[in-house]
Amino acid sequence: MYRWLRNIHLVSGLFSFLFLFTYGWSAVQMAHRSWFSLQPRIRETQVAVGTEVSDNPRALARTLMDDYGLRGGLDEVRQTSEGYELRISRPGTEYKVSYSRVRGEAKVRTFRANFMGMLNSLHHVAGFRRGDGLQKTWASLVGVVSVGLILLAVTGIYLWFKLFNERAVGIVLLVISLTYSLSLAIWLRLM
Amino acid sequence: MLPNLVCMNRLIKKIHVYLGLLNLSFVLIFGVTGTVATLRYAPYRLPSPKQPPRYEPYEAPARLSDQQVADDIYRKLRIPLTSPAEDWAIRRDDQNDLLIDLYTINGPYRVTLLEKENRLRIERVRESIWLYIDNLHGHTLQEPGMDRPLRLWAYYNEFSIWSLMGMALSGIYLGLTSRPNYQPARYALASGILVFLVLYIAIRR
């Protein structure tokens, strides 16, 4: 049993290493926003489009995806006095498109996240409701790593308990941490 | 193994174990949050309030904007765990009444200013336990809210974020040095890094 659980702890921990480390690092960024710059790289292009998209933002989005290589989900459409605006986004990249009926063209502003911005985006990718195959693969790995984290905690407790000479200090630390966290969590829930 | 390396291993193992014990709750919270987020199929919808609303008298000062009235209501109600409403949490409903969501870690208080009646309708929306755990995992020092338990939780969260990285680094050291001939461990590490990098580059592209 001990050997079996030790192997699970070791293998799941090593597989999850880079995921957990980057989740921790992006969490540091979110907790200390002033420490890092999330300034994206911005590029602007003009695209001439036919009149068939003048009242159809979805058709324009599709044209931009098929002919100009934009990738992502269409998640914001807004009418403007000149035409309409839409947003296509995927983790780390966002396209803000303004279509003008008068000029018959779409202005595409591309925002490319830097490394920290990309980690921040990936931190928020979860679930299978939206996104392409790559995002869904990432989401499934988030699930694997999350279950792995629970396994690491459970097997870790068992392995520590088997290290007899570490028990006394360990029990004190465990009692302190559980008392602190559980009493706060219950207190906050009841407020 | 060399005596120095043995000492080093013991020390790092101790740090790894102690960090794990000090952060057990948070490691479980991180794991549960990720699992729940993975399994959530329906888009998030705020649940309906289960308790009947309560009413309080309130007359909005005539010269204030909606944002200023929201701030005034926040100061007047002094609801625990809330912070002043951001502009996206303030809007008008179909009857043109001012609607203010005062968020807490447990879910928002929905406050409606019934201006014609000079009173406030206050409804409490309580999130499920899973969303509560999600909120706990995301409550860092950056979040608003000055209530003592929230600040104490944010400090613990901060400690746990750094500890998670410490455990990851010490774990990789221990995994590679304590059983250097155990092949599945090396394969697991290599495949984890490879999968991460391939996906990162493909999504980034």
Side-chain angles (χ1 to χ4, degrees):
Chain A
M1 176 80 161
Y2 175 82
R3 176 175 280 193
W4 197 65
L5 290 178
R6 189 180 59 173
N7 289 345
I8 289 178
H9 191 85
L10 189 61
V11 169
S12 57
L14 287 175
F15 179 81
S16 311
F17 161 71
L18 199 50
F19 288 90
L20 295 181
F21 192 80
T22 51
Y23 268 88
W25 193 236
S26 52
V28 169
Q29 178 271 313
M30 283 182 261
H32 302 280
R33 287 176 202 165
S34 59
W35 291 6
F36 305 90
S37 165
L38 292 190
Q39 196 63 41
R41 210 174 64 228
I42 304 171
R43 199 165 51 100
E44 202 171 297
T45 48
Q46 259 89 20
V47 175
V49 284
T51 49
E52 67 277 6
V53 302
S54 65
D55 284 314
N56 193 339
R58 292 192 65 80
L60 174 63
R62 185 65 200 232
T63 303
L64 292 172
M65 289 174 191
D66 290 345
D67 300 343
Y68 297 92
L70 272 61
R71 286 192 299 128
L74 171 61
D75 46 21
E76 237 178 59
V77 180
R78 202 168 63 86
Q79 295 296 321
T80 63
S81 54
E82 281 195 24
Y84 52 81
E85 289 178 347
L86 57 89
R87 193 175 75 130
I88 297 170
S89 68
R90 63 174 200 272
T93 307
E94 186 184 29
Y95 306 96
K96 285 187 178 168
V97 182
S98 323
Y99 173 73
S100 164
R101 284 193 194 93
V102 181
R103 292 195 299 276
E105 68 174 23
K107 189 167 80 179
V108 182
R109 295 187 80 202
T110 307
F111 297 77
R112 288 272 288 172
N114 60 13
F115 177 67
M116 281 313 295
M118 185 68 191
L119 290 191
N120 182 308
S121 294
L122 288 175
H123 194 118
H124 293 97
V125 174
F128 302 101
R129 273 187 297 112
R130 55 168 294 175
D132 56 11
L134 284 171
Q135 280 181 59
K136 285 178 180 159
T137 311
W138 180 273
S140 60
L141 279 159
V142 169
V144 169
V145 170
S146 301
V147 172
L149 206 49
I150 297 170
L151 272 178
L152 280 171
V154 175
T155 52
I157 287 292
Y158 177 83
L159 295 177
W160 155 70
F161 208 68
K162 281 284 179 185
L163 298 171
F164 292 98
N165 54 347
E166 298 284 350
R167 266 194 195 172
V169 184
I171 285 173
V172 172
L173 294 179
L174 189 60
V175 167
I176 289 171
S177 83
L178 286 180
T179 308
Y180 184 90
S181 57
L182 288 179
S183 49
L184 269 179
I186 294 168
W187 185 11
L188 284 167
R189 184 63 174 166
L190 296 177
M191 279 179 88
Chain B
M1 234 189 271
L2 296 168
N4 278 350
L5 202 59
V6 173
C7 275
M8 177 85 158
N9 259 22
R10 262 194 212 137
L11 178 70
I12 290 180
K13 193 175 209 170
K14 215 171 236 185
I15 292 170
H16 186 79
V17 170
Y18 290 170
L19 284 179
L21 292 169
L22 282 171
N23 293 286
L24 177 68
S25 315
F26 246 107
V27 172
L28 287 171
I29 284 174
F30 291 152
V32 168
T33 302
T35 309
V36 170
T38 305
L39 299 175
R40 194 183 299 144
Y41 264 88
Y44 172 72
R45 276 217 185 88
L46 205 61
S48 305
K50 287 193 176 136
Q51 294 165 343
R54 69 183 169 94
Y55 292 88
E56 280 205 20
Y58 177 80
E59 192 175 345
R63 291 170 187 272
L64 298 190
S65 67
D66 284 354
Q67 176 73 59
Q68 288 169 319
V69 167
D71 291 342
D72 191 47
I73 289 171
Y74 163 74
R75 281 191 296 270
K76 179 183 160 39
L77 292 179
R78 290 170 177 270
I79 298 172
L81 306 183
T82 57
S83 47
E86 302 280 345
D87 57 352
W88 47 262
I90 302 166
R91 64 187 182 282
R92 295 272 175 170
D93 66 9
D94 296 340
Q95 282 78 47
N96 296 320
D97 289 323
L98 184 63
L99 213 66
I100 306 156
D101 284 331
L102 294 171
Y103 280 90
T104 77
I105 201 162
N106 277 313
Y109 281 82
R110 177 154 290 176
V111 181
T112 312
L113 170 59
L114 305 167
E115 226 151 0
K116 288 177 187 163
E117 301 166 34
N118 279 336
R119 63 178 184 160
L120 298 169
R121 182 174 64 225
I122 304 154
E123 298 166 290
R124 184 171 194 186
V125 183
R126 228 172 145 77
E127 304 276 23
S128 71
I129 190 74
W130 305 113
L131 272 170
Y132 173 61
I133 290 173
D134 190 354
N135 290 341
L136 284 178
H137 119 278
H139 192 85
T140 61
L141 289 169
Q142 181 76 28
E143 299 299 316
M146 292 306 290
D147 297 75
R148 183 178 292 253
L150 277 179
R151 298 305 292 170
L152 290 173
W153 185 266
Y155 289 129
Y156 186 40
N157 195 342
E158 177 78 10
F159 174 64
S160 296
I161 290 168
W162 290 102
S163 298
L164 182 70
M165 289 193 290
M167 279 189 282
L169 288 174
S170 54
I172 200 168
Y173 175 84
L174 291 171
L176 294 178
T177 55
S178 59
R179 295 170 70 196
N181 297 322
Y182 185 57
Q183 289 300 326
R186 288 170 180 271
Y187 292 139
L189 177 63
S191 59
I193 291 173
L194 190 69
V195 167
F196 180 95
L197 291 178
V198 167
L199 273 175
Y200 180 93
I201 291 165
I203 293 172
R204 175 80 176 142
R205 188 173 53 83

